[in-house]
Amino acid sequence: MSDIVVRDAHGNELADGDSVTVIKDLKVKGSSVVVKRGTMVKSIRLTNNPEEVDASIPKMKGLVLRTEFLKKA
């Protein structure tokens, strides 16, 4: 997985354990939870897909977020 480069919405390279900020309100499928713009997500985990990361927020565990909606903190 080291050959896959994951970048946020602004082109910054992301790595396991980074903290990111959500740049757009996101509705969570199958839930009434909305991840608000500006929410800090700590300790992301990279996946095999360079466009997605695994994350957890206090309201919800096991989220998969698209990197196009994230900014490195």
Side-chain angles (χ1 to χ4, degrees), residues 6-73:
V6 180
R7 299 195 180 274
D8 69 1
H10 299 286
N12 299 316
E13 191 170 332
L14 298 174
D16 276 333
D18 280 349
S19 294
V20 294
T21 304
V22 178
I23 61 172
K24 179 182 174 186
D25 287 355
L26 302 173
K27 294 180 185 175
V28 178
K29 287 185 180 179
S31 174
S32 61
V33 174
V34 175
V35 180
K36 295 288 189 180
R37 181 176 58 126
T39 301
M40 175 73 75
V41 180
K42 296 180 181 178
S43 299
I44 62 169
R45 292 174 307 281
L46 302 182
T47 63
N48 290 331
N49 184 346
E51 297 177 354
E52 297 177 345
V53 296
D54 288 328
S56 294
I57 58 171
K59 295 180 187 177
M60 180 156 285
K61 306 291 182 207
L63 286 175
V64 176
L65 298 173
R66 306 268 306 168
T67 56
E68 62 192 283
F69 302 120
L70 302 176
K71 174 178 76 169
K72 190 170 184 175

